[in-house]
Amino acid sequence: MRAAVLHGTRDLRLEERPEPVPRPGQVVVQVTSVGMCGSDTHYYEHGRIGPHVVAAPLILGHEASGTITAVGPGVSPDRIGQRVSVEPGVPDLTCPQCLAGRYNLCPGMVFFATPPVDGALAERVAVHGAFAHPVPDQLSDDAAALLEPLSVGIWACRKGHVTAGTRVLITGAGPIGLVAVQAALAFGATDVIVSDINPSRLALATELGATQVLDARESSLADLDHAPGVLLECSGNARATLDGLAVLDRAGRAVLVGMGVDELALPVPLLQERELEVTGTFRYAGTWPTAIALVSSGRVDLDRLVTGSFALADSAAALTAGRDDPQAVKVVVHPQT
Amino acid sequence: MRAAVLHGTRDLRLEERPEPVPRPGQVVVQVTSVGMCGSDTHYYEHGRIGPHVVAAPLILGHEASGTITAVGPGVSPDRIGQRVSVEPGVPDLTCPQCLAGRYNLCPGMVFFATPPVDGALAERVAVHGAFAHPVPDQLSDDAAALLEPLSVGIWACRKGHVTAGTRVLITGAGPIGLVAVQAALAFGATDVIVSDINPSRLALATELGATQVLDARESSLADLDHAPGVLLECSGNARATLDGLAVLDRAGRAVLVGMGVDELALPVPLLQERELEVTGTFRYAGTWPTAIALVSSGRVDLDRLVTGSFALADSAAALTAGRDDPQAVKVVVHPQT
Amino acid sequence: MRAAVLHGTRDLRLEERPEPVPRPGQVVVQVTSVGMCGSDTHYYEHGRIGPHVVAAPLILGHEASGTITAVGPGVSPDRIGQRVSVEPGVPDLTCPQCLAGRYNLCPGMVFFATPPVDGALAERVAVHGAFAHPVPDQLSDDAAALLEPLSVGIWACRKGHVTAGTRVLITGAGPIGLVAVQAALAFGATDVIVSDINPSRLALATELGATQVLDARESSLADLDHAPGVLLECSGNARATLDGLAVLDRAGRAVLVGMGVDELALPVPLLQERELEVTGTFRYAGTWPTAIALVSSGRVDLDRLVTGSFALADSAAALTAGRDDPQAVKVVVHPQT
Amino acid sequence: MRAAVLHGTRDLRLEERPEPVPRPGQVVVQVTSVGMCGSDTHYYEHGRIGPHVVAAPLILGHEASGTITAVGPGVSPDRIGQRVSVEPGVPDLTCPQCLAGRYNLCPGMVFFATPPVDGALAERVAVHGAFAHPVPDQLSDDAAALLEPLSVGIWACRKGHVTAGTRVLITGAGPIGLVAVQAALAFGATDVIVSDINPSRLALATELGATQVLDARESSLADLDHAPGVLLECSGNARATLDGLAVLDRAGRAVLVGMGVDELALPVPLLQERELEVTGTFRYAGTWPTAIALVSSGRVDLDRLVTGSFALADSAAALTAGRDDPQAVKVVVHPQT
């Protein structure tokens, strides 16, 4: 089968790879759609993300959907033909974090497209059967792939305790910020304020239901009429994070989702006087059933985020499409084309 | 001023009463709309509800909206002219329950239209300023009054831990069941299944967003495709309650909102094997800001529930209108007419 | 190796069985102590517990400790020689309940001494390595075995939200009630009131730290000076359960641990007016680390509960020892003797 | 009556003041013991704490106990003679924070010894009756006064979610660190590790139950055998805070209690990868009943913390006693002497 393999910085090659053989409990998924993520692009352009170095050829892609074509020992053959969305990380299941329901914090996690684990930019992949989630017909292939970034938004809302009537501030309107907007609305937020510096993304945020958008170059969060109770930080920008914290209501919660800030100059007196809670997210746990329900019920529109699609042979172009075009939001690769 | 006063069973009289004088911290509200509740009707027809006996003339009505016309000492005169929704119970504010944020459980609660405390079926009432909640223009007078029953639905959802993706079963589609439907959707429920025996109420539930309705005379909850995670019991019917409990998912929560069952034959082995949690609701606490946000944002439609309106002089007719007409849902009285 | 095998009602035979062979991920434990539980005695005397019928020869015992003597594929041989406490139920690890951290509710749970799964009344057993918890030297073999009932008490406290300063009422002072007393104290309860009808058990409750004991034949819970906030029901008696519920404080929590009541006449108005929460427990999840810490730190004394010990050949006597002697609390079998 | 009044930096004068007159709902407390807090000393030596400036003569002291000698309108005269511990802050009771049970975050809080509100270094003070908590005989006057700092420790444990079996790291063994040690043990912590640079305070921490102490000048937190799950930061030192954060377990919680750090260089990737939660405390809410129960039951020893006592006339000496003596922990003033 064919796969797009990263050999080094900006060196992505279409190669033949052996067909995946499912181990016990696994299924083979014929991949129909793979969303490109900023981390994929970062590996492509820099060959590493922090401590994670691409030391050997690596298949990228961790937002994937497809159809089950084979099953390993212990998996019902009835699953062959099932359309699935792939949850890209499989934990060891028995460590204390896993047993406590926090499997995203499992030290033994094996995660797609994180060196040396291959990802999904291939015609077929083998995955744990319990992490290949069946999706209903009304979900498109692309939407099924994008349940992964939606999961990030859902997890942020859970960490932020977003509920009916919550005022949510979202800093950053990139792909994660935009799924966070939709997730926050689905969790019942009645005010969803979004700040960014890209007007086309702010316009899309409004289209997706944001109740107020702010161009951070022109407006200040300090001018908000009402203090938000939750900050979902999706920009990875220190200034935006601090500005967001500064306007949070008493007992507010800040969830740092965006990556890129190594050290944040946390204002401790503010944290204390308002008893703010600050946390960060690391992937997600138990989000797929919710994500499927939200998209199936029409509460979240993932197809609207897709601004480009590419064949497997054009994966390199897909990886950089988002970088150069301010209109771009989410690019997908269709490995069967 | 005029008030509709209950003197005994089915003996409601329009009388002149002295104008209310606001005590420190109070405001006077000129009442524009009062929703009729089953408890009002019960007092009217039976002169009591359990231990609460109408021993002296009583003004009914505890779902009220209006406009502030006067303020007592310690309240800013700027509030005169403000449109408000009245939260009908005022706790003592300093008992352990109040200080813990559970003011609905305050033993010293003073609550409208609960003997011997008069309610709102009058031209004007004096209420605690902090419990007269300003409402935005887009809320109608009726909707502002019906924030009270909506609060019951919101409180049920909070007690049930309804969140994005929750499957909710609502037994009983009376006024409370119907606000619970809307509240559950606003909290993010993606499946809202409603059972009742009144086809017109089930039709209204569907119109309001219920994803599945069941006529309890024809269908069995046991046939549901998926186990709900939360039961909001709004029928006050023992059979419905037990049927609902029986289909709850493991770790499910049952919230008993409906009144009328004195003893429920709780299946303890089921409770244990599935670790169900069963609780009941007593009014609400801290729901008005959420209720206002949900109606203002269009997530909840309270006007749709109003099936009849009456002048103050016709309060007796209003109190019985819902009893005889299967199409009736919520009846309101407009005391200025 | 030898095992005590139940062939039918009161028909327990010492038999030779093949040595257990560890499957991947398993370890073999040479069993040093097995606590006898009421469920073991019930199977012995009645051949069934509700729907669970002893249809084929069954090895009883699910409270076990021992030493690892062999490991299966994928388990480090370094573990050989390790003293362990056995968690007797192994879930499927991948169902929604498991992934949510509620593995005790896993529909695929395989649990010791529940037909047709054999238990620990044998010289050696094979168990999942992650469920054979290493214990420090200061824990005796018996204490290591009794971490299982302690887990029931810990789980009850978690479900009850027992914390520093909580007033806890425990109905029933059998083995589970007595571990609940100690667990509640370890969770910070400052009042632990225990009711039972067995004076020697009440005396032991006092010795273990209960702050007040009541002989239910002479005293009424209604006479308590202060309303408890949490009820840990460990008697399986309907009268005790209802009496306990009746005295709970507003917003109180009742945890039904004891088995034996099929239907409880739940007072719904009380549940609603006080917003009580009622739940039941089904085994436990994630309790062993806490149990080990509590016993190691001296906060819980399990050895004090042991009132008799027997050789494997005397398992039948062990199973009935507790039934006839009011002084008996916990009986253990030492399979190596 | 006499009071110790701060007129300016290091200018404390014993003066005659008018007897306090209780307003409605208030009681007059004859003050028997007042604990000296670091904030009192800071006002004495610097005339301000951040934005809070001593612009007019101010009575210091906010840790107080005494006996009720008079009551205002609406308070039962039966309370005269009652021994009480004074909760020094009274919120407005009706703002959203108060109604939600977070009255410590009330913007309208009136708090002792915070300019321009006078404190308790006087013969008598008037306080809200609901915030004058009756104490049992077994509490000494000093212990009753020190329920206030204990409340800080209890609140930290609540914010930290300390429960049975939690591993707690406490950085800083001053008076707050030492009450946090005892509170953590009372909440069920089985490992309580304390770091400081003062050997006598570390020795006292050990005496009070800390399971491990570290001299931060000699040992590194990085050498801990097991990762703590909760950090209670009581030093107000940036280095200690960051070192504590660095060793927290996945899903750990850090509670910043100590004051003195304006900006903390928060390591965001660590926060995200481990999903740490960081929060701060601002006073406390609803802690007195717990504090009274913990001291009454013998779980917490406050008298052990008292290292000096002074007459009212010697308040200036009391305010500086702790500064110069490394053995000093808590100093009290007895205003009736």
Side-chain angles (χ1 to χ4, degrees), chain A residues 176-188:
Chain A
I176 293 301
L178 291 169
V179 292
V181 168
Q182 296 191 73
L185 289 165
F187 274 73

Side-chain angles (χ1 to χ4, degrees), chain D residues 220-314:
Chain D
S220 166
L221 292 175
D223 298 332
L224 289 177
D225 287 340
H226 298 289
V230 176
L231 166 66
L232 306 181
E233 205 304 297
C234 302
S235 74
N237 178 284
R239 186 73 262 143
T241 309
L242 291 173
D243 288 352
L245 277 173
V247 300
L248 269 183
D249 202 0
R250 293 154 198 259
R253 289 179 68 85
V255 184
L256 309 189
V257 183
M259 286 182 286
V261 180
D262 276 346
E263 281 189 357
L264 187 75
L266 187 73
V268 174
L270 184 79
L271 190 88
Q272 293 177 320
E273 283 158 25
R274 296 194 196 154
E275 290 196 344
L276 305 179
E277 298 214 318
V278 179
T279 190
T281 60
F282 188 66
R283 298 166 180 160
Y284 34 69
T287 50
W288 254 257
T290 302
I292 292 169
L294 294 185
V295 181
S296 302
S297 67
R299 286 169 169 263
V300 168
D301 182 355
L302 293 172
D303 292 310
R304 179 65 187 83
L305 301 181
V306 178
T307 52
S309 61
F310 292 80
L312 186 61
D314 300 323

Side-chain angles (χ1 to χ4, degrees), chain A residues 89-321:
Chain A
V90 177
D92 71 15
L93 299 172
T94 57
C95 74
Q97 298 296 337
C98 284
L99 292 177
R102 299 186 297 256
Y103 66 76
N104 59 316
L105 301 182
C106 172
M109 175 74 80
V110 175
F111 201 91
F112 266 23
T114 305
V117 181
D118 278 332
L121 268 180
E123 288 189 89
R124 277 169 294 283
V125 290
V127 299
H128 192 304
F131 292 80
H133 301 274
V135 293
D137 292 345
Q138 64 259 48
L139 261 70
S140 70
D141 292 337
D142 290 347
L146 300 185
L147 296 180
E148 202 274 349
L150 176 56
S151 284
V152 175
I154 289 169
W155 192 242
C157 288
R158 287 193 192 157
K159 288 282 170 183
H161 300 180
V162 177
T163 185
T166 305
R167 276 197 196 98
V168 177
L169 169 63
I170 297 174
T171 44
I176 293 301
L178 291 169
V179 292
V181 168
Q182 296 191 73
L185 289 165
F187 274 73
T190 41
D191 292 70
V192 178
I193 305 141
V194 181
S195 75
D196 200 306
I197 56 170
N198 178 331
S200 72
R201 287 186 164 181
L202 290 175
L204 183 49
T206 300
E207 182 187 332
L208 294 170
T211 55
Q212 185 178 357
V213 295
L214 290 173
D215 189 319
R217 295 167 306 186
E218 299 164 7
S219 310
S220 166
L221 292 175
D223 298 333
L224 289 177
D225 286 339
H226 299 288
V230 176
L231 166 66
L232 306 181
E233 204 304 296
C234 301
S235 73
N237 178 284
R239 186 73 261 141
T241 309
L242 292 173
D243 287 352
L245 278 172
V247 299
L248 269 182
D249 202 1
R250 292 152 197 260
R253 290 179 66 85
V255 184
L256 308 189
V257 183
M259 286 181 285
V261 180
D262 277 345
E263 281 189 356
L264 187 75
L266 187 72
V268 174
L270 184 78
L271 190 87
Q272 294 177 321
E273 283 158 25
R274 296 195 196 154
E275 291 197 343
L276 305 179
E277 299 214 318
V278 179
T279 189
T281 60
F282 188 66
R283 296 164 181 162
Y284 35 70
T287 49
W288 254 257
T290 302
I292 292 169
L294 293 185
V295 181
S296 303
S297 67
R299 287 169 168 262
V300 169
D301 182 355
L302 294 172
D303 293 309
R304 179 63 189 83
L305 301 181
V306 178
T307 53
S309 61
F310 291 80
L312 185 61
D314 300 324
S315 293
L319 283 163
T320 54

Side-chain angles (χ1 to χ4, degrees), chain D residues 202-233:
Chain D
L202 290 173
L204 183 49
T206 299
E207 184 188 330
L208 294 170
T211 56
Q212 186 179 355
V213 296
L214 291 172
D215 189 318
R217 295 167 306 185
E218 299 165 6
S219 308
S220 166
L221 292 175
D223 298 332
L224 289 177
D225 287 340
H226 298 289
V230 176
L231 166 66
L232 306 181
E233 205 304 297

Side-chain angles (χ1 to χ4, degrees), chain C residues 307-325:
Chain C
T307 53
S309 62
F310 292 81
L312 185 61
D314 300 324
S315 293
L319 283 162
T320 55
R323 193 193 47 192
D324 306 321
D325 177 5

Side-chain angles (χ1 to χ4, degrees), chain B residues 51 97 102 104-107 155 159 161 249-251 253 256-269 271-284, chain C residues 51 97 102 104-107 155 159 161 249-251 253 256-269 271-284:
Chain B
Q97 298 295 336
R102 300 185 296 258
N104 59 316
L105 302 181
C106 171
W155 191 244
K159 287 282 170 183
H161 300 180
D249 202 1
R250 292 153 198 258
R253 290 178 67 85
L256 308 188
V257 183
M259 287 182 284
V261 180
D262 277 346
E263 282 190 355
L264 186 75
L266 187 73
V268 174
L271 189 87
Q272 293 177 321
E273 284 158 24
R274 296 193 196 155
E275 291 197 343
L276 304 179
E277 298 214 319
V278 179
T279 190
T281 58
F282 188 65
R283 297 165 181 160
Y284 35 70
Chain C
Q97 298 295 335
R102 300 186 296 257
N104 60 316
L105 301 182
C106 171
W155 191 242
K159 288 281 170 185
H161 300 179
D249 202 359
R250 292 153 198 259
R253 289 179 66 85
L256 309 189
V257 183
M259 285 181 285
V261 179
D262 277 346
E263 281 188 357
L264 186 75
L266 186 72
V268 174
L271 189 87
Q272 293 176 321
E273 284 159 24
R274 296 194 196 155
E275 291 197 343
L276 305 179
E277 298 213 319
V278 178
T279 189
T281 60
F282 188 65
R283 297 165 181 160
Y284 35 70

